[in-house]
Amino acid sequence: MNVNQSAAPVPPFGQPQPIYPGYHQSNYGGQPGTTAPPTSYGAYNGPVPGYQQTLPQGVSRAPPSSGAPPVSTAQAPCGQTAYGQFGQGDVQNGPSSTVQMQRLPGSQPFGSPLAPVVSQPAVLQPYGPPPTSAQVTAQLAGMQISGAMAPAPPTSGLGYGPPTSLASASGSFPNSGPYGSYPQGQAPPLSQAQGHPGVQPPQRSAPPLASSFTPPASGVPRMPSMTSPLLPGQGFGGPPVSQPNHVSSPPPQALPPGPQVTGLPGPPPPMHSSQQPGYQLQQNGSFGPTRGPQPNYGSPYPGAPTFGSQPGPPQPLPPKRLDPDAIPSPIQVIEDDRNNRGSEPFVTGVRGQVPPLVTTSFLVKDQGNASPRYIRCTSYNIPCTSDMAKQAQVPLAAVIKPLARLPPEEASPYVVDHGESGPLRCNRCKAYMCPFMQFIEGGRRFQCCFCSCINDVPPQYFQHLDHTGKRVDAYDRPELSLGSYEFLATVDYCKNNKFPSPPAFIFMIDVSYNAIRTGLVRLLCEELKSLLDYLPREGGAEESAIRVGFVTYNKVLHFYNVKSSLAQPQMMVVSDVADMFVPLLDGFLVNVNESRAVITSLLDQIPEMFADTRETETVFAPVIQAGMEALKAAECAGKLFLFHTSLPIAEAPGKLKNRDDRKLINTDKEKTLFQPQTGAYQTLAKECVAQGCCVDLFLFPNQYVDVATLSVVPQLTGGSVYKYACFQVENDQERFLSDLRRDVQKVVGFDAVMRVRTSTGIRAVDFFGAFYMSNTTDVELAGLDGDKTVTVEFKHDDRLNEESGALLQCALLYTSCAGQRRLRIHNLALNCCTLLADLYRNCETDTLINYMAKFAYRGVLNSPVKSVRDTLITQCAQILACYRKNCASPSSAGQLILPECMKLLPVYLNCVLKSDVLQPGAEVTTDDRAYVRQLVTSMDVAETNVFFYPRLLPLTKSPIESTTEPPAIRASEERLSNGDIYLLENGLNLFLWVGASVQQGVVQSLFNVSSFSQITSGLSILPVLDNPLSKKVRGLIDSLRAQRSRYMKLIVVKQEDKLEMLFKHFLVEDKSLSGGASYVDFLCHMHKEIRQLLS
């Protein structure tokens, strides 16, 4: 039998294994475990179908002496999370007893009774070609000697050759998944292309991803050369190089952390660990059966000696366990970037510079290219040809945030007024004047940098050129020297050729029984009295130009006349919701200061007027229709703020039915859960966009409200959706009011149109975000605020030139809050390359993940979720395989080699794959998934970064007097210590996790109670106490909230409490209960995919 023959088919990634569905043993630690859902990562964990696991000689299995009781998946109380209520992992990882798990006999299917144990001395011999002297030297140099090792009787399951740990500055790594230990100190290095500071060898040590044999060090006898397979159950450095399907065998049994095995002199302990030498006693890696046979390796076969019966030299004990910190760490990459790039300003004058990461705080100096706060690209060096782009598979995309808010130290874009003539543009492609335009003929003409057309310079814009061919006034004109600036638009840029009126805000309040009962209406009316003083205003204006109006509704609509001349507000009821009209024009939209007394009187009366209502049914579409008609009648753009509580089941246009059906998950019909029920809302949204009517929706559901349908209008008009499930005033008022204040006060551009122009060779082909498109080029936004992004994908339509590079120009035409029509321009120049290495050297992983998540989240509307996931995995594998094939220096196929700037692509992509939209846990509702899907669609790069890979901050590690944020740690349960307190945030949720062994003084300082047991689980507000720790933690929470666009409600989680399941869901490096792979397992899977592509 040839070891090089192809492996038997394994179940595809993403399907449960036939023999062993799920990860959890039924009796882990002697206790009944929870039943886990069938995993979709079967190939990582289950035995390979059709292969029996053979019993290694001389090893019996004993249960571990201690195992944690199962954690029940109790649902968190209603309203305690923004979305999602599940965690992962059934076993609480604390220190375990020193007794270690025995090797599982391999000869039976998992879970069958054990066969009688035959005791024979088992010795495994190395085989392979003799080493060269250089290899021996390298291997010896890599050995860590931890004391004299006495010869010890060998144990079955030891790897070939004397095991040593890795010689790498960054330490060694855990062996997870199906890989054996690495002999001779030669781990499969995870090389990164441009090297890595602090790592000695040129290739950085990596996860256990090598699957090639290394010849043994000299002095160790070897087997006669032969091509026979190994016995099942024997550990070795990995299957033969040409064996692609190596991930199919089950990984070692996961254990709670035990003592580290160091090379102690003397015989091995009587009970052999099931781990191969160098295995980490894995936490959260895999709760599957012990490692079984390799694909295609049957049980001992006739004619071949069983290794177990051969005498051989004694083997030393396993060395220290491998270090998990050697696989690429997001925390380390973020930290390195902060240290290297946080101190200097980022100057945008050079073409194609990759900016600092979004997690780094830095200042931007605009010298001709737009700030990365406005535009970030997936790569700053794009392939010259479409063939090269297809080969690399790296998406070429830009995430554009046209109205991004800048830090106070940076100036807002200058406003340029060219008077009657308006901004200067190219006659052919209509691009706006920018620093890349080339002036010729002494300044009388200019050549367009986008389409090469030669244009005349109007007399009023003429200026002489200096000796370098630059205009002498270049630095006095923002449009000739800066990457971002604004033009005042002329009347030609306005609807119906007349300047717009200032916009209006209409507050539309659900006054059905649900809204009154929860106290929402009273709370909202009280808040609006003061909030109306903070409407957005331009520059130094004394008061806002925005007018306001009020509507309440249940099954019918109530309009209010709040004209300043009235003593009391007047109410008009429209009960014909099928044919909506606005019953009054004068007095509906008013200036706040002029009508203050009448507005205050109205807001006092609304809660009283409906206090005794019994009306439970509501309408929804007619409410939006009414708001839009009111703006149309007033001839202005504006925004509707809708406060809504329930599924609109009253007889009216846009009536919905409850179609929530969890049985559709993982079927071909799952996509219907993300699609709107009816086309009525799309039609309505289209009318709203034409009128410049943007809709912000605040939802307060107690049950299913069909977010997928209700969010259509906000999504297509550039609005926002906020969701407060099971709203209770005492728990949720702070979050709701904070979101409302921010939403009302933020600067918005109304009635906007955005177009992205590119230089010859590439063009914008696809767009993602919250907007409407009536043609293929114009992105139409009824409203656009500083938090929203539009993601644009580019494709080649011609060959690019390395010398001239590629240019993007984003032009946004919008009406400001004061009613002024403006154009905001952002320009960016990118490099072009003919070498793939240059492409890979200039990519930005965070932006790549932002694009891939949006691409996938749109994909679920039309394709089964499984195929969307598979597409992402394939694309990622192709990107990395292309790098390996074309850019990496030659090395063993067993190494996983990642480009330096993409080394986090696997960990981040795994987070996207495990997210609630693509792999929901049992407690994630259909509404939650639809909510998150539309939220991510317009997130910027910083938001997706923390959303998919949350920040975990230890609070008791740094000195109390320190004012800086504590350094983050990796999002994995094994990083938690039960004597500490941690904060976890992902931009939507904020958890404070309290370990069971936290010092009593810390508990007293933070919670004002004397012991851990007295802390209220699920607490959402920390008591205000006058001590340094309390002040520091509350200050940190406030500063985290200030960084995010939505208020993050705090949830206090106690270790081993039912809420901990929810908290663990955000520890994204671990396996998830919904079947998502751990980081290590996914890295193994990616390696397998890459090798299959390369072979």
Side-chain angles (χ1 to χ4, degrees), residues 26-172:
S26 54
N27 291 316
Y28 186 81
Q31 310 223 12
T34 54
T35 48
T39 165
S40 57
Y41 282 77
Y44 293 155
N45 246 8
V48 182
Y51 289 105
Q52 296 289 5
Q53 294 173 325
T54 316
L55 176 67
Q57 308 285 336
V59 183
S60 62
R61 175 180 183 232
S65 63
S66 69
V71 185
S72 68
T73 35
Q75 186 150 344
C78 190
Q80 275 179 327
T81 58
Y83 71 92
Q85 294 171 338
F86 59 99
Q88 38 114 130
D90 274 355
V91 178
Q92 175 64 43
N93 289 323
S96 81
S97 84
T98 54
V99 184
Q100 296 183 357
M101 179 75 102
Q102 299 308 298
R103 208 173 201 349
L104 174 72
S107 59
Q108 305 105 357
F110 188 68
S112 59
L114 299 184
V117 176
V118 185
S119 207
Q120 275 185 345
V123 178
L124 305 184
Q125 302 267 0
Y127 69 81
T132 63
S133 61
Q135 282 169 322
V136 173
T137 317
Q139 285 151 7
L140 291 175
M143 292 176 73
Q144 259 183 12
I145 314 294
S146 22
M149 294 208 179
T155 55
S156 159
L158 280 177
Y160 285 104
T164 55
S165 60
L166 299 178
S168 145
S170 59
S172 21

Side-chain angles (χ1 to χ4, degrees), residues 333-343 356-362 373 376:
V333 171
I334 289 168
E335 202 50 46
D336 291 346
D337 193 76
R338 275 189 187 143
N339 296 336
N340 298 335
R341 307 194 65 180
S343 50
L357 297 180
V358 283
T359 43
T360 299
S361 176
F362 60 97
R373 303 192 205 288
R376 277 189 177 263

Side-chain angles (χ1 to χ4, degrees), residues 518-529 607 700 727-730 732-734 736-737 740:
T518 56
L520 168 65
V521 174
R522 190 172 295 279
L523 177 71
L524 175 58
C525 290
E526 205 50 50
E527 176 63 26
L528 285 177
K529 288 182 206 169
F700 306 86
F727 180 82
Q728 294 171 309
V729 168
E730 57 278 12
D732 301 296
Q733 86 172 44
E734 195 180 351
F736 163 55
L737 294 180
L740 176 63

Side-chain angles (χ1 to χ4, degrees), residues 358-359 376 846 850 939-947 1044:
V358 283
T359 43
R376 277 189 177 263
D846 293 326
N850 178 287
M939 275 185 183
D940 71 9
V941 180
E943 287 170 324
T944 50
N945 174 275
V946 76
F947 178 75
R1044 304 296 170 211

Side-chain angles (χ1 to χ4, degrees), residues 246-289:
H246 60 288
V247 176
S248 49
S249 49
Q253 175 63 46
L255 290 178
Q260 291 196 338
V261 183
T262 48
L264 297 173
M271 296 178 59
H272 308 310
S273 158
S274 67
Q275 318 293 344
Q276 318 285 334
Y279 266 90
Q280 176 196 3
L281 297 179
Q282 214 182 311
Q283 305 195 29
N284 298 323
S286 46
F287 293 100

